[in-house]
Amino acid sequence: MDDARRLEADGQYGAALVAYQSCETTGEDSRFCAARAKLLKPQAADGYTGWTVLAGVRHRYRELGPVAAATQVQAALDANPTGPAASQLRAWLANERRLTHSPDAEEARDAVIRDPGAAPSTRAALANEEKLFQRRARQRYTAIGLGAVAAGYLGVALRGRGTAVSATPLVIGWFFLAITPALLAWAWGASDWPGVLATGSAVVAGVAVAPRAPAWLAAAGTASVALLCAYFAGWFDSMGLG
């Protein structure tokens, strides 16, 4: 196996394949050798051309930089879009463009998901990433809507008139809805205890100005403020929102 890995590192992929095949049925490294042989064997179809480009880019990435590296990989893919290394080249481009926030990152990711030759684990990972991206977008839009309702409630409450809620029930409510849960969360070692404190305090604040607005707006506004706190605390996923 050591000889095979050395040959592969030197770019002698044909010889490395033979070495991997010789050790894939014996010894404790047989599974590793079999996996590398399975990966390299199809690359012989184009004389390891695409694979050589990809391996060279990975090896000299710091020297090349992201732009030149992506250019070389894209050129190799364009030269043989159905070649044995095409799936690996597409996967590398998709990952690179995602990390560098390239404008065509979504197209590159979708190309890998649609590529039947791509590894199932790679396709699944990118598909899950797309679903997560869409969920985050929905959560942001939800937070914007909640913010609009909360802002409307605040505007109406500040201009409205009504009997103010006395301080005593507000203090009691703040203690039970904000202080006590936050202290318990902190005692249990939860790092998001500030979110617990903020959410409980938001509910108390919403109730405090409720008499200055219509009942339906007071309820919607209070809930919106509390949910906004939950959004910024990162709880939407656990709440099943978005």
Side-chain angles (χ1 to χ4, degrees):
M1 188 193 72
D2 291 339
D3 290 340
R5 296 183 67 175
R6 184 167 55 253
L7 289 167
E8 185 179 2
D10 291 341
Q12 301 180 51
Y13 301 114
L17 174 60
V18 173
Y20 279 129
Q21 289 174 328
S22 69
C23 76
E24 66 178 339
T25 57
T26 58
E28 60 182 12
D29 299 318
S30 59
R31 293 181 63 182
F32 175 83
C33 291
R36 295 307 297 176
K38 182 179 180 180
L39 189 64
L40 286 176
K41 187 175 181 179
Q43 307 304 325
D46 69 345
Y48 303 97
T49 301
W51 191 259
T52 299
V53 172
L54 183 58
V57 164
R58 286 171 171 167
H59 181 69
R60 299 186 298 116
Y61 183 83
R62 287 191 176 183
E63 173 189 340
L64 292 170
V67 176
T71 299
Q72 289 190 17
V73 173
Q74 185 65 63
L77 181 60
D78 293 341
N80 194 357
T82 60
S87 294
Q88 289 86 353
L89 292 169
R90 289 192 185 97
W92 187 94
L93 283 171
N95 184 65
E96 178 67 15
R97 287 168 177 169
R98 176 183 64 84
L99 294 176
T100 57
H101 304 288
S102 172
D104 55 355
E106 184 175 350
E107 181 181 347
R109 180 181 58 240
D110 290 343
V112 175
I113 295 174
R114 295 191 305 267
D115 184 0
S121 59
T122 300
R123 292 203 307 271
L126 292 177
N128 289 335
E129 181 183 292
E130 173 64 14
K131 292 179 181 177
L132 180 61
F133 177 81
Q134 293 175 352
R135 171 179 282 189
R136 292 289 179 265
R138 290 194 300 268
Q139 290 177 348
R140 286 195 298 271
Y141 293 141
T142 300
I144 291 172
L146 292 170
V149 175
Y153 174 42
L154 180 61
V156 171
L158 290 177
R159 297 180 60 185
R161 295 181 180 180
T163 304
V165 178
S166 61
T168 301
L170 290 178
V171 171
I172 294 174
W174 190 51
F175 178 79
F176 283 105
L177 294 176
I179 297 296
T180 300
L183 285 175
L184 290 174
W186 175 79
W188 289 335
S191 60
D192 57 352
W193 67 264
V196 177
L197 179 62
T199 303
S201 299
V203 172
V204 175
V207 172
V209 296
R212 301 184 178 213
W216 66 269
L217 183 57
T222 300
S224 295
V225 173
L227 286 172
L228 271 177
C229 293
Y231 169 76
F232 288 113
W235 297 340
F236 268 23
D237 283 341
S238 59
M239 295 171 68
L241 296 177

